[in-house]
Amino acid sequence: MNKEPDGPEGRLRRFATIWSRAIFPVTATSLTRQEFEEQLLPHARVLRDALTARVFDSATGHAVGSALVDVHCTDPEALSRTLDVVDAYLVLYCGAERDPEELRARCARVQHAVAAGFAQALRERTRAEQEAISRAALDARHAVAEALHASEARFRAVFEGAAIGIGIADLDGTVLQVNEAMLRMFGGGLDKYIRGRKVNEWTHPDDAPQVWRLYEELVRGERDHYRVEKPYYRQDGTVLWTNLTVSLLRDADGRPQYQLALMEDTTERRLLNLRLRYEATHDALTGLPNRTLFFERLEKALSAPDGKRFGLCYLDLDGFKAINDSLGHAAGDRLLVEVADRLQSCATAPGEMVARLGGDEFVALTTGPDTEREVDELAGRILSMLAIPVRIEGRELTVRGSIGIVEGPAGERTPAEVLRSADITMYRAKSAGGNRFELADPKVDASTITRHSLTTALPAALERGEFFIEYQPLVHLGEGSVSGAEALVRWLHPQHGVLGPDRFIPLAEDTGLIVPLGRWVLEESVRQAHAWHQRHLPGGPVRINVNLSPCQLYHPGLVADTVDILERVGLEPGSLCLEVTESALIGADDDLLKPLRLLAEMGVNIALDDFGTGYSNLANLRRLPVSELKLDRSFTQGMQHYPADQVDLKIVEGIVSLAHSLNLSVTVEGVETAVQADQLRRLGCDTAQGWYYARPGPPDRLHTLALVDAVG
Ligand code: C2E
Ligand code: CA
Ligand code: CA
């Protein structure tokens, strides 16, 4: 076996060393650190195998968690440190030559399994201990009873040797005797703090309501024992949690005489439980409450008594995906953390909470007395907080958000209904341009289709042929002739009429349906282009532009499918232009770009769509196989009327000259007025697309435009 420091065994050893250093200080063991490390080594090996095994078996991680408990690592801190070490070092030392994404995912599963194994083993151990303690308690009680009647010496032995705290008080509550174990629980050596004091002085704000009632019943002789969970203050002010069993001791004639308290320290177990509960109810990335906790709170708010109201803001970041795709997940994560912090600072009043539902979706809940007004203010605060730019990796990013607000009386709707309504409303805010909030409207809710129902209907829609394509002309700015058309897909939904691509393309991307749908769009529009060519439109062959989603771009069948379609239909590769977004290409390495490069070498044109929205590096353009830039609509918005926005003019001018120097042609999108068209022509843009020339429409309209409407 390889024992070189750099070999697999050496690395495994280093992992075990780090691990043992991390948890040794919080482990109650008599071993030395080195011996302890030896003990951990086989478990480290199990972790490594779990990380790299072809098929993941959670039982292996589970076994390691449970082994930790066996070697006395029962402190919650030991678990937490173990998870940290696994998180930071397992992949590093034990995951050579594997796909890093896969390893990260596997590592997370390993951690879950370890935590689950730990929790279960600890629960089992606690149960065993409790049984032992109950037995000891029973023995002690017998011994005390006997001792009171018989041998004082034997009583002493049990009393002092017991692992649980034992105390005796008279019926007034004055403490007469406590054993060592109980003194230790209260901090040790604090005889005076306990002995001679009254039992009923030890109140604590977290005492359950029945604690003192049961006590009174016992000292009055109305009950023989009770068992409660009770907190105490130690002398140093810290809190001791106990399982407390109090029994009444009667004299030989059955008259109440003493009370006997048996006390078990549950502080640590309680901490662990709190910790596990915290982890189950909070988002690991941002530390915000997660979906589970949010639903609990929402449920509570909705089942509040009559007259109470609630307000909910459902926030989805605008354009987060583009940031994540172009700057990478680490930057995306940092942005989410920053957003979470800001949200938290917006909702600090009592009755307000913020949670992360997942991805870039957050919620803020308010249950104050005046939610009708407060929830609007809350949404306003959130939007203005988001407006402040975030600095990440030396860049200033502006995140915006869309918020759906639901407000109303408690007791009328279920959490799921409220969330659905909020989601629909958020979408309305997004469709209206984002960076705003909208109020829920029950009439709109009823007629709105949810993302979920659309997603499930997508596959059948493709089979039933519910999709169709509209074409929008691309106009040559110099000659005013139609040089091509962009294919834009629509869905004729049987209930909801025509739906635009923004409604369903993201869903198709999430579910993978985009691949067959995209293939259909490609074939259909290539056929259409072929038909136009056959009819010999004036101005020569018309080029067809087809949008490609990132998933299609990286689908292994892309090149073969495209070639197949072009050949079957009989269209020149040069008559096809594939539009890919800037954000899909950022960060793509040469391997990922290969299919696109192959297509480009074959003569297919590649356009960089929505240019200017993806935070890309202009210097990057050179290594991409593109021949055309499509400038995003946002650049031309400032030029609709005279005088045009000077900054926009300068930017567009700069981009055009850069593009031309790289041999790229420039198409501008969203040209809506003659003023814009004029300016853009003067700035040297090559091609334009927009409502000024024509809205997207059926294929025969393109023909008409070419003959009649062409604008010079
Ligand atoms: P895009 O590629 O940027 O397409 C241009 C969008 O701008 C189209 O919206 C078009 O209708 C709209 N538009 C055109 N001229 C003007 C104008 O003068 N003013 C304004 N305000 N808007 C104008 P549409 O059709 O809703 O498409 C939205 C997006 O959906 C497209 O953005 C494209 O990214 C995606 N998409 C459309 N069809 C497909 C497809 O077949 N496959 C894929 N993967 N995505 C598609
Ligand atoms: Ca496009
Ligand atoms: Ca575009």
Side-chain angles (χ1 to χ4, degrees):
M1 211 179 272
N2 187 344
K3 296 257 184 203
E4 300 289 304
D6 292 335
E9 279 306 301
R11 288 201 296 269
L12 183 70
R13 165 65 71 179
R14 286 209 327 256
F15 175 76
T17 309
I18 294 172
W19 187 13
S20 68
R21 286 205 180 114
I23 64 174
F24 184 70
V26 290
T27 303
T29 176
S30 52
L31 301 181
T32 65
R33 221 267 307 146
Q34 274 74 18
E35 289 166 344
F36 184 64
E37 180 180 321
E38 289 305 323
Q39 211 175 28
L40 287 186
L41 191 62
H43 302 306
R45 185 163 289 122
V46 173
L47 289 179
R48 178 182 68 186
D49 295 346
L51 181 75
T52 52
R54 210 169 48 77
V55 179
F56 179 64
D57 178 5
S58 68
T60 50
H62 216 270
V64 173
S66 133
L68 279 178
V69 174
D70 291 343
V71 299
H72 308 291
C73 294
T74 49
D75 190 316
E77 186 59 27
L79 173 62
S80 165
R81 292 185 187 186
T82 295
L83 297 181
D84 288 347
V85 169
V86 171
D87 193 49
Y89 297 102
L90 186 62
V91 171
L92 196 65
Y93 285 125
C94 305
E97 290 154 31
R98 288 284 188 121
D99 171 21
E101 281 289 323
E102 210 174 280
L103 283 172
R104 294 291 341 147
R106 176 64 71 85
C107 184
R109 296 180 68 187
V110 170
Q111 290 176 56
H112 277 124
V114 171
F118 183 87
Q120 193 189 345
L122 201 59
R123 261 199 308 276
E124 273 160 17
R125 208 180 81 138
T126 306
R127 200 178 315 127
E129 274 176 3
Q130 268 170 347
E131 275 164 19
I133 284 170
S134 307
R135 254 196 320 278
L138 216 65
D139 291 350
R141 231 173 72 206
H142 279 136
V144 171
E146 264 175 44
L148 287 173
H149 303 297
S151 144
E152 179 72 17
R154 251 178 73 201
F155 164 67
R156 283 265 137 238
V158 172
F159 187 74
E160 290 306 339
I164 53 166
I166 307 178
I168 298 174
D170 63 19
L171 295 180
D172 297 337
T174 307
V175 179
L176 305 174
Q177 289 283 324
V178 294
N179 70 350
E180 272 302 310
M182 187 179 285
L183 288 178
R184 268 200 307 276
M185 286 180 199
F186 278 87
L190 298 163
D191 218 3
K192 269 196 246 94
Y193 183 59
I194 300 176
R195 247 186 287 254
R197 279 185 60 181
K198 290 240 186 225
V199 171
N200 36 9
E201 286 170 24
W202 274 298
T203 57
H204 188 282
D206 290 338
D207 282 341
Q210 75 276 20
V211 166
W212 295 107
R213 180 176 52 77
L214 293 170
Y215 174 83
E216 292 300 334
E217 289 173 10
L218 182 113
V219 293
R220 284 201 301 266
E222 293 163 18
R223 65 164 57 240
D224 276 337
H225 49 256
Y226 64 89
R227 189 183 162 96
V228 288
E229 217 190 340
K230 176 164 168 36
Y232 290 90
Y233 285 117
R234 297 197 185 95
Q235 198 181 25
D236 64 4
T238 56
V239 178
L240 162 74
W241 275 89
T242 66
N243 272 339
L244 173 70
T245 309
V246 183
S247 309
L248 184 65
L249 300 179
R250 299 174 187 269
D251 65 14
D253 301 327
R255 276 190 302 268
Q257 196 177 19
Y258 299 109
Q259 44 177 326
L260 171 74
L262 301 173
M263 205 179 262
E264 179 203 355
D265 183 346
T266 59
T267 316
E268 272 193 2
R269 199 187 317 148
R270 207 181 142 83
L271 278 179
L272 177 66
N273 281 339
L274 287 177
R275 173 97 154 237
L276 291 175
R277 152 108 186 135
Y278 183 88
E279 274 160 19
T281 53
H282 287 77
D283 171 43
L285 176 66
T286 62
L288 286 185
N290 65 10
R291 182 179 275 274
T292 310
L293 185 54
F294 169 71
F295 261 84
E296 278 175 24
R297 294 285 172 80
L298 181 61
E299 205 148 16
K300 209 162 138 202
L302 293 176
S303 55
D306 275 355
K308 296 264 186 215
R309 299 180 76 86
F310 74 95
L312 174 75
C313 296
Y314 189 116
L315 166 75
D316 185 286
L317 300 182
D318 299 338
F320 176 72
K321 195 171 177 306
I323 295 181
N324 218 21
D325 289 348
S326 54
L327 295 185
H329 292 292
D333 281 357
R334 232 165 309 148
L335 184 69
L336 290 174
V337 171
E338 177 64 31
V339 167
D341 288 348
R342 293 185 184 188
L343 291 180
Q344 190 102 68
S345 72
C346 290
T348 49
E352 291 181 340
M353 89 173 286
V354 207
R356 178 175 177 219
L357 293 188
D360 61 342
E361 291 174 19
F362 297 87
V363 278
L365 179 68
T366 166
T367 50
D370 189 10
T371 51
E372 272 171 292
R373 185 179 49 79
E374 278 166 7
V375 75
D376 284 9
E377 286 175 6
L378 181 60
R381 274 204 302 282
I382 293 176
L383 289 182
S384 49
M385 265 300 195
L386 288 180
I388 307 168
V390 186
R391 271 201 86 75
I392 284 174
E393 291 178 352
R395 292 167 202 248
E396 294 245 307
L397 302 181
T398 315
V399 267
R400 294 276 148 89
S402 303
I403 298 180
I405 295 181
V406 183
E407 194 280 333
E412 290 185 354
R413 280 177 283 181
T414 65
E417 284 165 352
V418 169
L419 225 57
R420 175 180 184 270
S421 171
D423 184 44
I424 290 170
T425 314
M426 180 277 289
Y427 250 69
R428 194 143 48 79
K430 199 155 276 235
S431 324
N435 190 26
R436 71 190 62 214
F437 59 82
E438 295 277 343
L439 282 170
D441 175 346
K443 281 200 258 17
V444 176
D445 284 5
S447 66
T448 310
I449 8 134
T450 57
R451 280 183 281 178
H452 175 74
S453 66
L454 281 188
T455 307
T456 48
L458 268 172
L462 184 60
E463 273 166 30
R464 282 198 294 257
E466 289 172 9
F467 294 99
F468 67 98
I469 299 176
E470 287 193 320
Y471 298 88
Q472 188 176 31
L474 293 155
V475 177
H476 194 285
L477 272 171
E479 298 160 16
S481 57
V482 174
S483 61
E486 177 171 3
L488 295 160
V489 67
R490 278 91 181 83
W491 179 2
L492 179 58
H493 190 284
Q495 276 107 50
H496 304 287
V498 176
L499 301 177
D502 291 338
R503 296 295 298 278
F504 60 86
I505 292 286
L507 308 180
E509 285 175 340
D510 287 347
T511 54
L513 195 82
I514 189 68
V515 173
L517 175 61
R519 207 183 292 132
W520 177 83
V521 172
L522 183 66
E523 171 144 13
E524 187 68 18
S525 20
V526 163
R527 282 188 193 288
Q528 185 55 57
H530 184 67
W532 282 327
H533 289 192
Q534 303 259 291
R535 271 189 274 157
H536 303 295
L537 288 181
V542 169
R543 213 175 69 173
I544 184 75
N545 282 32
V546 179
N547 292 288
L548 275 196
S549 283
C551 337
Q552 290 172 271
L553 199 54
Y554 301 131
H555 190 270
L558 174 69
V559 177
D561 285 350
T562 311
V563 171
D564 176 56
I565 290 173
L566 287 172
E567 281 179 355
R568 267 191 293 121
V569 177
L571 191 78
E572 292 293 308
S575 298
L576 174 65
C577 176
L578 295 176
E579 298 192 0
V580 293
T581 59
E582 193 190 358
S583 54
L585 293 187
I586 308 301
D589 58 20
D590 283 341
D591 272 358
L592 283 178
L593 290 175
K594 210 164 157 194
L596 221 48
R597 194 157 277 137
L598 276 177
L599 288 168
E601 279 162 9
M602 233 181 295
V604 174
N605 303 283
I606 312 289
L608 205 52
D609 203 356
D610 299 345
F611 185 76
T613 58
Y615 304 97
S616 70
N617 182 347
L618 290 174
N620 241 337
L621 283 177
R622 203 179 319 222
R623 56 174 208 102
L624 301 178
V626 296
S627 52
E628 183 178 325
L629 291 190
K630 290 193 78 176
L631 216 49
D632 187 65
R633 198 156 61 83
S634 53
F635 288 99
T636 48
Q637 266 164 355
M639 299 178 195
Q640 275 175 349
H641 311 286
Y642 284 120
D645 184 303
Q646 289 304 309
V647 179
D648 278 349
L649 282 180
K650 278 267 171 290
I651 294 178
V652 173
E653 194 176 8
I655 294 178
V656 169
S657 83
L658 176 86
H660 285 169
S661 73
L662 292 170
N663 258 333
L664 303 175
S665 69
V666 178
T667 300
V668 280
E669 298 186 320
V671 179
E672 296 180 354
T673 67
V675 176
Q676 277 170 312
D678 188 42
Q679 309 240 30
L680 291 163
R681 181 179 25 241
R682 274 194 273 140
L683 288 173
C685 297
D686 306 284
T687 312
Q689 173 180 6
W691 297 346
Y692 172 59
Y693 306 101
R695 301 223 174 199
D700 45 335
R701 276 259 306 281
L702 194 83
H703 190 80
T704 331
L705 174 86
L707 293 175
V708 184
D709 303 351
V711 201

